[in-house]
C-alpha cells in the first residue's frame, strides 16, 4: 500500500555504444512512498502540468510549486526504489 506521494527528480542512465560514457538524464516524476516513508515506486512517464478547468486557476501554480520543491530534494535513481515503476 502506498502511503503518500510527491514529485521528485530521478536520474536515469542508458549505456552508450562502445567505450563512450553512459548517457544520463533527469526528469521530474511522481514518486510513491511506502508506509515507512521510503520510495517504493514512481510513475512511468515524467510528470506534466495538467488540470481540469473545474480545479481553478490556482491548480497549475500549486503543481508547479510542488515540482519546484522537488528540485531542492535529494536526487533519486531507479535503484532507490523497492519497485521500479508504478503505472
Amino acid at each position: 500500500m502506498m502511503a503518500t506521494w510527491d514529485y521528485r527528480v530521478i536520474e536515469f542512465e542508458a549505456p552508450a555504444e562502445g567505450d563512450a560514457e553512459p548517457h544520463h538524464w533527469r526528469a521530474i516524476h511522481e514518486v510513491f512512498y511506502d508506509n515507512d516513508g521510503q520510495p517504493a515506486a514512481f510513475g512511468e512517464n515524467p510528470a506534466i502540468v495538467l488540470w481540469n478547468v473545474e480545479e481553478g486557476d490556482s491548480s497549475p501554480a500549486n503543481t508547479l510549486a510542488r515540482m519546484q520543491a522537488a528540485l531542492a530534494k535529494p536526487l533519486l535513481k531507479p535503484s532507490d526504489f523497492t519497485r521500479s515503476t508504478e503505472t
Side-chain angles (χ1 to χ4, degrees):
M1 178 174 151
M2 301 299 148
T4 59
W5 73 273
D6 66 2
Y7 294 111
R8 295 290 295 269
V9 176
I10 302 176
E11 181 175 285
F12 298 91
E13 179 180 307
E17 292 186 31
D19 293 331
E21 290 292 318
H23 175 69
H24 294 90
W25 70 95
R26 295 175 179 171
I28 295 174
H29 286 257
E30 292 178 342
V31 170
F32 303 89
Y33 299 88
D34 64 20
N35 292 329
D36 296 324
Q38 297 301 309
F42 60 92
E44 182 178 354
N45 297 311
I48 61 169
V49 180
L50 174 74
W51 67 97
N52 292 321
V53 173
E54 296 81 19
E55 293 178 273
D57 293 338
S58 64
S59 183
N62 293 338
T63 299
L64 290 170
R66 291 179 73 181
M67 288 179 169
Q68 186 168 5
L71 300 175
K73 296 176 183 176
L75 181 73
L76 295 173
K77 295 185 177 189
S79 60
D80 293 325
F81 295 86
T82 56
R83 294 193 309 185
S84 56
T85 59
E86 176 80 20
T87 51

